[in-house]
Amino acid sequence: MSISTFLKEKNCQGRESEILNFYHILTYILVYLGLFATSFYLLSLFSYYRKPRKTTDKKFSVSIIVPAFNEEKTISKTLQSLLELDYPKDRMEIIVVDDGSTDSTYSQAKRFESNIVRVIRKDNGGKGSALNAGIKVAKGELIASMDADSFVQKDALKKMVALFYNDSVMSVAPSVGIIEPKGILRRIQHIEYAMGVFLRKSFSTLNAIHVTPGAFSLYRKIFFDKYGGYDEHNITEDLEIALRIQSKGYVIENAEDAVAYTRGPRYFRELMIQRRRWYTGLARNLWRYKSLFGPSRGPLGTLVLPAAVIAIVLPMILVIYQVIKNLDDIRRNIILLQSIDFRFKDLWEYNSYIFEQIILSSLSYPLFLMSLLFLALLAGYLIFAKRITGFKERWQLNFVLFFLLYYFLFVFWWIVSTAYLIFNKKVIWRKEKHEAG
Amino acid sequence: MKQDNSIYLRRYIYSFFIATFLFILVFAIADSFTHISYERNARESEVIRSYITDLNGYFKEQSCSDQLIFDASLKLDNVGNRIDLLEKRFGKSDQRVVTQKKQYAELQHTHYLIIQRLNKYCGAKFITVLYFYTQAKEESDANEQASFILNAFKQESPERIMIYAFDSSIGSGIVGNLKTWYNITSTPSVLVNQENKIDKLTHISQLDPFLKEVR
């Protein structure tokens, strides 16, 4: 380290101090809101677990609808897992709706046909229309929707049905995990879903669940009879139905110990298409159900939904700023390196200084300590998820990958989705499923 | 169905207190670490003072041994690093930082005098670079570039090139005297080997002619 490096560092800091203040203020706002929301969720969870759990012993009749479009690789496993469910077989039926598949999905599903399993075929119309076709012929008091690339734990249905303890409970969502979380993107999704276990349970204690997972969710049939089926033009029908249930003032429960597993996209492009659909769907549906914002809707309107919006907007601003700043730093460094004819002899010395600086000063920076605090909270969420659901996967590496990469991916997906929204580009459900194969 | 927020009111209040407590706690912990760092630096100041005494003694002995001066150079750099960290934590106008920078200027000045003596009486071939700057915002780009170039220049022969950076805005008597002595009227300004003044250092090639002396 030489004296001039000392100068250089100092001067850089001085030049950017005003922008950094803006950056820091936004970050502190985000951190404070994060702490506030997390405290609220934790208090709600503690309060929930202190009281006896409300359940019913009634064995409702259940119709499980499996919409399928070109799912020949997974449909057999999905049906097998449903047939193995620990639930009275005379109280359940499985309806596979082949939504105009062009592969062998229909014939594969047909092999399972019995007094429990029915297979119907229709022209391609999207997931919502396939679910509606199933609801139309369903006989059960409860309707379960299940993705054809997912499977459930044996006792999941039993645990979920037990939560329809009164007439206001209109839906029950399970916990969702990722099948075989291998590869960087699936590992990141594994942590994201595990975090979702904690959040969904917290939201359920506040009646603030706003998404019922497409992988496996239960609804009272009476709701569809009264308020219509799935919105067939909606690209995130599972989100829309949950918001509709909330808007009608009903309750969505969560059986955190009932686990459904889904197959997370493996490749970046697949994941991008999925997230683009989810996020444009989320934005459109939140706008459609904007009446859910506000004090009249309890914690859903005053905290959960506003916090979700803030947790999208602020990181977007911060990450965009950070990326622009980094690009500007690269540009400036190139100019500086030009002024020394790219004599890289200096670089090692510079890096050793940075290392020393990190060791000596990190703990003095509030933002670094706040990152540690959130890391600890995240670890707490994961321990909760592991304990409740019995997830077997090791999560240490996934945790590190998530912490390092998630927010950049999250913001990237949101930027793309926002562009789609602004330019009013069409996002469809089928394309993603088809490509995700 | 409307929900009654009042049943959650107590929870909102508790959450507010917990979040506020944690938020303040984080700042308090960060501040504690900052204080520990400052204390550490303050102790280091004592070492700096004793080093000034050693260097003065060395200066008086008129020794031609290189070893002590190499050690001193290393210590000088470390002190510079520490002050840099302090400045980042407390800000450039913080009195503690200004005090340490004044001591640092004093130490650099002593070191500079010894190097001059070694050059003059022991036939050493140290290149000395005095770099004068201020904290003025309009100078920041020029400062950044000059610092970067000087840093790279130093790496050409770290043991033979001695760079001394002086902040003219801290009100140090030593810095003022040096500026008067060498007729430095504007900043940033670079003075190589006492007599070669470069007012606008924009490329390392402007310093290349001096490298011949150490090669």
Side-chain angles (χ1 to χ4, degrees), chain A residues 46-62:
Chain A
F46 286 134
S47 163
Y48 172 83
Y49 280 116
R50 270 183 16 209
K51 294 175 192 159
R53 192 172 182 164
K54 288 189 226 168
T55 53
T56 177
D57 291 331
K58 186 179 174 187
K59 294 292 173 209
F60 288 91
S61 58
V62 182

Side-chain angles (χ1 to χ4, degrees), chain A residues 58 116 277:
Chain A
K58 186 179 174 187
I116 296 176
R277 181 175 68 84

Side-chain angles (χ1 to χ4, degrees), chain A residues 170-186:
Chain A
M170 205 48 81
S171 174
V172 175
S175 292
V176 184
I178 287 280
I179 302 166
E180 293 175 11
K182 286 175 184 160
I184 290 176
L185 292 177
R186 279 185 172 159

Side-chain angles (χ1 to χ4, degrees), chain B residues 24-35:
Chain B
I24 292 170
L25 182 69
V26 164
F27 278 92
I29 293 171
D31 200 54
S32 302
F33 277 108
T34 307
H35 188 70

Side-chain angles (χ1 to χ4, degrees), chain B residues 175-191:
Chain B
V175 179
N177 290 341
L178 280 171
K179 281 177 76 178
T180 309
W181 182 260
Y182 291 116
N183 193 26
I184 304 295
T185 51
S186 63
T187 54
S189 188
V190 172
L191 185 75

